[in-house]
Amino acid sequence: RVDQLKYDVQHLQTALRNFQHRRYIREQQERQREELLARTFTTNDSDTTIPIDETLQFNESLQNAHRGMDDLIGSGTNILQGLRDQRVTLKGTHKKILDVANMLG
């Protein structure tokens, strides 16, 4: 019987907390709604300005960085291609040296 009463008390306390939380949320929403409806909007409000110059500069900097990375990747690709060409040349030279060595005995 005592355990049942403890369970009932916990259940009621949880229900009360849930009810209070929902009520708090509803009151907060009503307050925010009233503040929004009471607010007067004006043209050219300082909160609505967009810093276009800063955004353009940021975008230009990003584009420059992007171009720089493309150049860096292109240079790396050219270097790798040069190394491959050198490898082919060295392989051919090595084969010719071995052929000459085999002919000489």
Side-chain angles (χ1 to χ4, degrees):
R1 176 114 175 107
V2 171
D3 289 338
Q4 180 64 35
L5 286 174
K6 286 181 182 179
Y7 174 77
D8 290 344
V9 167
Q10 286 178 343
H11 181 69
L12 290 173
Q13 286 176 342
T14 304
L16 178 63
R17 277 195 297 271
N18 287 337
F19 175 76
Q20 288 173 336
H21 180 69
R22 284 193 309 265
R23 183 176 172 194
Y24 172 76
I25 295 294
R26 188 175 49 239
E27 288 175 356
Q28 186 178 14
Q29 288 174 347
E30 288 176 11
R31 236 186 351 265
Q32 289 173 350
R33 189 177 305 116
E34 288 301 320
E35 288 175 7
L36 185 61
L37 291 174
R39 182 175 179 190
T40 56
F41 293 95
T42 59
T43 57
N44 295 330
D45 191 10
S46 63
D47 293 339
T48 59
T49 58
I50 301 172
I52 294 209
D53 291 337
E54 293 174 12
T55 305
L56 288 175
Q57 289 174 354
F58 181 71
N59 188 26
E60 187 176 332
S61 296
L62 283 178
Q63 287 177 352
N64 289 339
H66 185 69
R67 267 188 244 108
M69 289 303 294
D70 284 343
D71 293 343
L72 188 63
I73 290 171
S75 297
T77 302
N78 290 337
I79 289 169
L80 283 175
Q81 187 59 43
L83 289 172
R84 286 186 192 115
D85 293 342
Q86 288 177 10
R87 179 175 155 224
V88 169
T89 304
L90 288 174
K91 273 187 171 181
T93 306
H94 185 258
K95 184 177 178 184
K96 287 180 184 178
I97 290 173
L98 287 177
D99 288 343
V100 170
N102 286 336
M103 285 201 303
L104 293 176

